Amino acid sequence: EGLLLLGPFSDALGPFLKIAGRWLDVCPAVTRLAFGAVLVRPVADRQSGYSEISHLLPSVVVDPTNSSDFFYQINRPRMSTSGIALKLNRLTKWSVMQAGFIEIAVGSDMRATLASAPRQHACRLELDMSTAAEFLGEIPKDKTRSVFEELVRLGREIADHGDIP
């Protein structure tokens, strides 16, 4: 029952980074790298979700009481600090989601009965950190891991502090 979650972002990230690091050590030359995650934080209801998300989006005004169907997407690129002239995309998608389960049972008389579980709400953040498509060369092999780690750091920064330019 409820939302299926892997656990806190930092806990789930550790094992993934170990595997990704091993792959980066042996991967062929790459022209683009990306890191993505979907983060979900359960909240009591839509209104509390909107209140919480407005703290993470200081440049956006969200009316928690009189708003619905909120979705905000923005890319705030930064230049890489890896020593390569490489733009890094920091695409984020913010929303408050509602999830629920409906069970449909069809009896021998072919009548359907519906039963639904209570709905759950959560703040949702989709991270899409990537090197820019305009970069036409290969990322130097000795920089691949540091660029990937920079993408992960940028994602963590947004997850920890919200939407920051």
PDB file of all heavy atoms in Angstrom, residues 10 18-19 30 35-36 54 64-65 67 78 97 102 108 118 134 145 155-156 159:
ATOM      1  N   SER A  10      19.841  10.159  -0.745  1.00  0.00           N
ATOM      2  CA  SER A  10      21.252   9.871  -0.486  1.00  0.00           C
ATOM      3  C   SER A  10      21.497   8.367  -0.277  1.00  0.00           C
ATOM      4  O   SER A  10      22.516   7.832  -0.697  1.00  0.00           O
ATOM      5  CB  SER A  10      21.766  10.672   0.706  1.00  0.00           C
ATOM      6  OG  SER A  10      20.959  10.421   1.828  1.00  0.00           O
ATOM      7  N   LYS A  18      28.173   3.676  -7.109  1.00  0.00           N
ATOM      8  CA  LYS A  18      29.208   2.641  -7.114  1.00  0.00           C
ATOM      9  C   LYS A  18      29.190   1.896  -8.460  1.00  0.00           C
ATOM     10  O   LYS A  18      30.225   1.685  -9.089  1.00  0.00           O
ATOM     11  CB  LYS A  18      28.945   1.661  -5.959  1.00  0.00           C
ATOM     12  CG  LYS A  18      30.180   1.023  -5.397  1.00  0.00           C
ATOM     13  CD  LYS A  18      29.839   0.143  -4.219  1.00  0.00           C
ATOM     14  CE  LYS A  18      29.992   0.956  -2.947  1.00  0.00           C
ATOM     15  NZ  LYS A  18      29.930   0.138  -1.744  1.00  0.00           N
ATOM     16  N   ILE A  19      28.004   1.510  -8.901  1.00  0.00           N
ATOM     17  CA  ILE A  19      27.857   0.797 -10.178  1.00  0.00           C
ATOM     18  C   ILE A  19      28.216   1.709 -11.348  1.00  0.00           C
ATOM     19  O   ILE A  19      28.948   1.322 -12.262  1.00  0.00           O
ATOM     20  CB  ILE A  19      26.418   0.256 -10.335  1.00  0.00           C
ATOM     21  CG1 ILE A  19      26.161  -0.831  -9.290  1.00  0.00           C
ATOM     22  CG2 ILE A  19      26.172  -0.271 -11.741  1.00  0.00           C
ATOM     23  CD1 ILE A  19      24.707  -1.207  -9.134  1.00  0.00           C
ATOM     24  N   VAL A  30      32.608   8.943 -24.840  1.00  0.00           N
ATOM     25  CA  VAL A  30      31.231   9.452 -24.854  1.00  0.00           C
ATOM     26  C   VAL A  30      31.202  10.897 -25.328  1.00  0.00           C
ATOM     27  O   VAL A  30      32.152  11.651 -25.121  1.00  0.00           O
ATOM     28  CB  VAL A  30      30.562   9.341 -23.461  1.00  0.00           C
ATOM     29  CG1 VAL A  30      30.399   7.901 -23.048  1.00  0.00           C
ATOM     30  CG2 VAL A  30      31.333  10.101 -22.408  1.00  0.00           C
ATOM     31  N   PHE A  35      22.556  12.476 -15.865  1.00  0.00           N
ATOM     32  CA  PHE A  35      22.156  11.885 -14.591  1.00  0.00           C
ATOM     33  C   PHE A  35      20.726  12.328 -14.348  1.00  0.00           C
ATOM     34  O   PHE A  35      20.402  13.513 -14.482  1.00  0.00           O
ATOM     35  CB  PHE A  35      23.044  12.367 -13.444  1.00  0.00           C
ATOM     36  CG  PHE A  35      22.488  12.013 -12.088  1.00  0.00           C
ATOM     37  CD1 PHE A  35      22.524  10.705 -11.639  1.00  0.00           C
ATOM     38  CD2 PHE A  35      21.884  12.978 -11.298  1.00  0.00           C
ATOM     39  CE1 PHE A  35      21.977  10.359 -10.409  1.00  0.00           C
ATOM     40  CE2 PHE A  35      21.347  12.650 -10.066  1.00  0.00           C
ATOM     41  CZ  PHE A  35      21.395  11.336  -9.618  1.00  0.00           C
ATOM     42  N   GLY A  36      19.864  11.380 -14.003  1.00  0.00           N
ATOM     43  CA  GLY A  36      18.470  11.719 -13.751  1.00  0.00           C
ATOM     44  C   GLY A  36      17.927  10.975 -12.552  1.00  0.00           C
ATOM     45  O   GLY A  36      18.439   9.920 -12.170  1.00  0.00           O
ATOM     46  N   SER A  54       6.414  25.636  -2.698  1.00  0.00           N
ATOM     47  CA  SER A  54       6.708  27.062  -2.862  1.00  0.00           C
ATOM     48  C   SER A  54       7.975  27.473  -2.123  1.00  0.00           C
ATOM     49  O   SER A  54       8.638  28.406  -2.521  1.00  0.00           O
ATOM     50  CB  SER A  54       5.537  27.959  -2.504  1.00  0.00           C
ATOM     51  OG  SER A  54       4.803  27.526  -1.453  1.00  0.00           O
ATOM     52  N   PRO A  64      -1.428  28.049  -2.394  1.00  0.00           N
ATOM     53  CA  PRO A  64      -1.740  26.689  -1.964  1.00  0.00           C
ATOM     54  C   PRO A  64      -3.233  26.391  -1.877  1.00  0.00           C
ATOM     55  O   PRO A  64      -3.655  25.262  -2.050  1.00  0.00           O
ATOM     56  CB  PRO A  64      -1.107  26.565  -0.580  1.00  0.00           C
ATOM     57  CG  PRO A  64      -0.222  27.739  -0.416  1.00  0.00           C
ATOM     58  CD  PRO A  64      -0.666  28.776  -1.394  1.00  0.00           C
ATOM     59  N   THR A  65      -4.030  27.402  -1.623  1.00  0.00           N
ATOM     60  CA  THR A  65      -5.463  27.192  -1.427  1.00  0.00           C
ATOM     61  C   THR A  65      -6.247  27.207  -2.732  1.00  0.00           C
ATOM     62  O   THR A  65      -7.128  26.379  -2.939  1.00  0.00           O
ATOM     63  CB  THR A  65      -6.023  28.273  -0.479  1.00  0.00           C
ATOM     64  OG1 THR A  65      -5.231  28.284   0.707  1.00  0.00           O
ATOM     65  CG2 THR A  65      -7.469  28.009  -0.126  1.00  0.00           C
ATOM     66  N   SER A  67      -5.091  27.008  -6.002  1.00  0.00           N
ATOM     67  CA  SER A  67      -4.411  26.504  -7.194  1.00  0.00           C
ATOM     68  C   SER A  67      -4.621  24.998  -7.323  1.00  0.00           C
ATOM     69  O   SER A  67      -4.845  24.306  -6.341  1.00  0.00           O
ATOM     70  CB  SER A  67      -2.903  26.767  -7.096  1.00  0.00           C
ATOM     71  OG  SER A  67      -2.630  28.133  -7.025  1.00  0.00           O
ATOM     72  N   ARG A  78      24.575  25.662 -16.430  1.00  0.00           N
ATOM     73  CA  ARG A  78      25.812  26.184 -15.846  1.00  0.00           C
ATOM     74  C   ARG A  78      26.973  25.661 -16.679  1.00  0.00           C
ATOM     75  O   ARG A  78      26.877  24.611 -17.299  1.00  0.00           O
ATOM     76  CB  ARG A  78      25.998  25.696 -14.409  1.00  0.00           C
ATOM     77  CG  ARG A  78      25.137  26.380 -13.404  1.00  0.00           C
ATOM     78  CD  ARG A  78      25.620  26.035 -12.014  1.00  0.00           C
ATOM     79  NE  ARG A  78      24.711  26.584 -11.007  1.00  0.00           N
ATOM     80  CZ  ARG A  78      24.693  26.188  -9.757  1.00  0.00           C
ATOM     81  NH1 ARG A  78      25.521  25.250  -9.348  1.00  0.00           N
ATOM     82  NH2 ARG A  78      23.861  26.730  -8.899  1.00  0.00           N
ATOM     83  N   MET A  97       1.869  15.722  -6.822  1.00  0.00           N
ATOM     84  CA  MET A  97       1.137  14.617  -7.417  1.00  0.00           C
ATOM     85  C   MET A  97       0.118  14.029  -6.450  1.00  0.00           C
ATOM     86  O   MET A  97       0.229  14.203  -5.240  1.00  0.00           O
ATOM     87  CB  MET A  97       2.099  13.522  -7.877  1.00  0.00           C
ATOM     88  CG  MET A  97       2.909  12.899  -6.757  1.00  0.00           C
ATOM     89  SD  MET A  97       3.997  11.591  -7.331  1.00  0.00           S
ATOM     90  CE  MET A  97       2.908  10.179  -7.154  1.00  0.00           C
ATOM     91  N   ILE A 102      -7.325   1.925  -7.372  1.00  0.00           N
ATOM     92  CA  ILE A 102      -8.724   1.547  -7.542  1.00  0.00           C
ATOM     93  C   ILE A 102      -8.754   0.061  -7.872  1.00  0.00           C
ATOM     94  O   ILE A 102      -8.023  -0.413  -8.741  1.00  0.00           O
ATOM     95  CB  ILE A 102      -9.398   2.351  -8.667  1.00  0.00           C
ATOM     96  CG1 ILE A 102      -9.412   3.839  -8.325  1.00  0.00           C
ATOM     97  CG2 ILE A 102     -10.805   1.833  -8.924  1.00  0.00           C
ATOM     98  CD1 ILE A 102      -9.952   4.709  -9.427  1.00  0.00           C
ATOM     99  N   SER A 108     -19.897 -12.651 -10.972  1.00  0.00           N
ATOM    100  CA  SER A 108     -20.463 -13.618 -11.920  1.00  0.00           C
ATOM    101  C   SER A 108     -21.665 -13.025 -12.654  1.00  0.00           C
ATOM    102  O   SER A 108     -21.989 -13.459 -13.756  1.00  0.00           O
ATOM    103  CB  SER A 108     -20.860 -14.899 -11.190  1.00  0.00           C
ATOM    104  OG  SER A 108     -21.810 -14.596 -10.178  1.00  0.00           O
ATOM    105  N   PRO A 118      -7.401   5.248   0.000  1.00  0.00           N
ATOM    106  CA  PRO A 118      -7.261   6.703   0.171  1.00  0.00           C
ATOM    107  C   PRO A 118      -6.175   7.243  -0.756  1.00  0.00           C
ATOM    108  O   PRO A 118      -5.172   6.575  -1.011  1.00  0.00           O
ATOM    109  CB  PRO A 118      -6.845   6.849   1.636  1.00  0.00           C
ATOM    110  CG  PRO A 118      -7.174   5.555   2.287  1.00  0.00           C
ATOM    111  CD  PRO A 118      -7.171   4.511   1.220  1.00  0.00           C
ATOM    112  N   GLU A 134      24.868  20.633 -27.836  1.00  0.00           N
ATOM    113  CA  GLU A 134      25.677  21.446 -28.748  1.00  0.00           C
ATOM    114  C   GLU A 134      27.161  21.083 -28.699  1.00  0.00           C
ATOM    115  O   GLU A 134      27.924  21.439 -29.588  1.00  0.00           O
ATOM    116  CB  GLU A 134      25.547  22.943 -28.426  1.00  0.00           C
ATOM    117  CG  GLU A 134      24.147  23.493 -28.531  1.00  0.00           C
ATOM    118  CD  GLU A 134      23.341  23.292 -27.242  1.00  0.00           C
ATOM    119  OE1 GLU A 134      23.887  23.473 -26.138  1.00  0.00           O
ATOM    120  OE2 GLU A 134      22.164  22.942 -27.359  1.00  0.00           O
ATOM    121  N   ARG A 145      34.531  10.770 -15.624  1.00  0.00           N
ATOM    122  CA  ARG A 145      34.045  10.557 -14.260  1.00  0.00           C
ATOM    123  C   ARG A 145      33.800  11.890 -13.554  1.00  0.00           C
ATOM    124  O   ARG A 145      32.774  12.067 -12.899  1.00  0.00           O
ATOM    125  CB  ARG A 145      35.024   9.716 -13.459  1.00  0.00           C
ATOM    126  CG  ARG A 145      34.503   9.414 -12.050  1.00  0.00           C
ATOM    127  CD  ARG A 145      35.520   8.665 -11.232  1.00  0.00           C
ATOM    128  NE  ARG A 145      35.555   7.256 -11.516  1.00  0.00           N
ATOM    129  CZ  ARG A 145      34.895   6.355 -10.806  1.00  0.00           C
ATOM    130  NH1 ARG A 145      34.156   6.720  -9.792  1.00  0.00           N
ATOM    131  NH2 ARG A 145      34.974   5.084 -11.110  1.00  0.00           N
ATOM    132  N   GLY A 155      22.537  17.857  -9.282  1.00  0.00           N
ATOM    133  CA  GLY A 155      21.236  17.291  -8.931  1.00  0.00           C
ATOM    134  C   GLY A 155      21.008  17.300  -7.430  1.00  0.00           C
ATOM    135  O   GLY A 155      19.926  17.657  -6.953  1.00  0.00           O
ATOM    136  N   ARG A 156      22.017  16.945  -6.663  1.00  0.00           N
ATOM    137  CA  ARG A 156      21.894  16.950  -5.194  1.00  0.00           C
ATOM    138  C   ARG A 156      21.680  18.373  -4.671  1.00  0.00           C
ATOM    139  O   ARG A 156      20.913  18.577  -3.738  1.00  0.00           O
ATOM    140  CB  ARG A 156      23.140  16.349  -4.561  1.00  0.00           C
ATOM    141  CG  ARG A 156      23.231  14.857  -4.751  1.00  0.00           C
ATOM    142  CD  ARG A 156      24.423  14.308  -4.057  1.00  0.00           C
ATOM    143  NE  ARG A 156      24.039  14.124  -2.660  1.00  0.00           N
ATOM    144  CZ  ARG A 156      24.526  13.189  -1.890  1.00  0.00           C
ATOM    145  NH1 ARG A 156      25.443  12.370  -2.349  1.00  0.00           N
ATOM    146  NH2 ARG A 156      24.131  13.062  -0.658  1.00  0.00           N
ATOM    147  N   ALA A 159      18.120  19.177  -5.212  1.00  0.00           N
ATOM    148  CA  ALA A 159      17.292  18.382  -4.302  1.00  0.00           C
ATOM    149  C   ALA A 159      17.365  18.940  -2.872  1.00  0.00           C
ATOM    150  O   ALA A 159      16.370  18.975  -2.162  1.00  0.00           O
ATOM    151  CB  ALA A 159      17.728  16.927  -4.313  1.00  0.00           C
TER     152      ALA A 159
END
